Amino acid sequence: MILGIGTDLANIDRIAGTLERFGDRFRNRVFTDLEQAKAERRRDVAGTYAKRWAAKEACSKALGTGLAMGIAWKDMSVKNLSTGQPVMEVTGWARERLDEMTPPGHEAIIHVTLTDDHPWAQAFVVIEARPIVPSEG
């Protein structure tokens, strides 16, 4: 069952300007160390940050809170599997909210997809609840 859906569109040039203007203050407030390391290794640094910004916004919408209800930016983080597939991890208040909205006997799965086409970066997040199947044996 679908628990939440969120999407966001971020302007890469706006994120580039924010990075230029506020530098580490912005990076450290919004992005985890792992997200920063990933972005700084990329050719399109601002585009990488913009996609992760959009993913955090989309995730907060899928959680039904937006960023106004206590979720910190770093409570939502984008990592990549070895295949390159992005995955969203939540901690802190975002994790509490996810646990609260997940029905008993279910596990929450957060699906995220990212894309960009300069000057836009977009993210789409779907939170799914899957029944927990007891293991045999």
Side-chain angles (χ1 to χ4, degrees):
M1 98 181 58
I2 303 298
L3 298 179
I5 299 172
T7 188
D8 192 68
L9 187 65
N11 184 290
I12 296 169
D13 293 333
R14 184 174 68 87
I15 296 296
T18 302
L19 287 164
E20 191 174 303
R21 185 171 177 202
F22 296 105
D24 285 342
R25 198 169 96 201
F26 172 65
R27 281 182 196 87
N28 294 332
R29 189 178 122 245
V30 176
F31 303 100
T32 65
D33 291 342
L34 187 64
E35 288 173 312
Q36 290 181 50
K38 174 91 172 176
E40 297 299 327
R41 285 194 311 266
R42 290 288 181 86
R43 186 170 32 99
D44 183 9
V45 172
T48 302
Y49 279 121
K51 285 186 281 191
R52 278 149 180 76
W53 171 280
K56 291 168 187 273
E57 288 274 8
C59 185
S60 72
K61 292 170 186 176
L63 289 167
T65 64
L67 286 158
M69 293 182 65
I71 294 177
W73 286 104
K74 287 183 175 183
D75 284 350
M76 301 166 289
S77 131
V78 177
K79 297 182 178 180
N80 294 85
L81 300 177
S82 60
T83 60
Q85 176 185 346
V87 292
M88 179 69 68
E89 291 189 359
V90 293
T91 58
W93 199 88
R95 169 50 68 184
E96 291 174 23
R97 172 67 181 143
L98 181 63
D99 291 345
E100 177 183 291
M101 62 193 286
T102 304
H106 289 73
E107 64 177 335
I109 311 294
I110 302 175
H111 304 277
V112 60
T113 186
L114 309 172
T115 191
D116 65 292
D117 186 6
H118 197 88
W120 301 107
Q122 183 178 29
F124 192 74
V125 171
V126 175
I127 301 175
E128 172 190 13
R130 287 187 191 161
I132 297 172
V133 179
S135 59
E136 294 183 33

